[in-house]
């Protein structure tokens, strides 16, 4: 689902050609989740990250995607980037 959201976010107009994408996917147990809601959330977050990276003047633009288990019932999805960030105001 993360890769699907990444593909949709970059096909939706955000240029990710100069962005180095790192993936770290750990195996998690089967979960029951609304795929459409999660995909929508992931697309929005990834789109925001790609936009922030495109605004950045850094030479190394990096987007990191990770998933790992917390315990039997929970897991974590992390999306990190080296983009411009959010202004303090």
């Amino acid at each position: 689902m993360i890769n699907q959201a990444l593909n949709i976010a970059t096909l939706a107009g955000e240029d990710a050609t100069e962005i180095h994408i790192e993936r770290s996917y750990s195996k998690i147990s089967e979960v029951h989740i609304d795929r459409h809601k999660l995909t929508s959330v992931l697309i929005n977050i990834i789109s925001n990250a790609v936009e922030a990276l495109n605004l950045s003047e850094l030479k190394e633009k990096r987007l990191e995607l990770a998933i790992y288990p917390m315990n039997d019932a929970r897991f974590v999805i992390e999306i990190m980037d080296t983009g411009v960030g959010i202004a303090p105001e």
Side-chain angles (χ1 to χ4, degrees), residues 75-89:
F75 62 94
V76 174
I77 297 175
E78 287 184 349
I79 301 171
M80 298 167 281
D81 65 77
T82 58
V84 295
I86 299 171
E89 51 291 335

Side-chain angles (χ1 to χ4, degrees), residues 10-34:
T10 55
L11 288 175
E14 295 296 339
D15 181 21
T17 56
E18 296 182 15
I19 298 171
H20 176 70
I21 299 171
E22 296 179 19
R23 295 171 180 89
S24 177
Y25 301 157
S26 298
K27 186 172 176 79
I28 61 170
S29 60
E30 186 175 317
V31 294
H32 299 281
I33 194 162
D34 186 324

Side-chain angles (χ1 to χ4, degrees), residues 49-83:
V50 171
E51 182 180 344
L53 286 163
N54 286 334
L55 294 173
S56 174
E57 294 182 12
L58 292 175
K59 290 184 181 183
E60 183 181 342
K61 298 178 181 187
R62 189 173 62 247
L63 175 63
E64 300 175 23
L65 308 165
I67 185 168
Y68 54 89
M70 284 183 57
N71 59 36
D72 289 342
R74 295 177 185 240
F75 62 94
V76 174
I77 297 175
E78 287 184 349
I79 301 171
M80 298 167 281
D81 65 77
T82 58

Side-chain angles (χ1 to χ4, degrees), residues 25-48:
Y25 301 157
S26 298
K27 186 172 176 79
I28 61 170
S29 60
E30 186 175 317
V31 294
H32 299 281
I33 194 162
D34 186 324
R35 293 179 59 89
H36 298 290
K37 284 183 183 178
L38 179 58
T39 301
S40 178
V41 169
L42 291 171
I43 290 168
N44 286 325
I45 294 171
I46 293 169
S47 293
N48 290 345

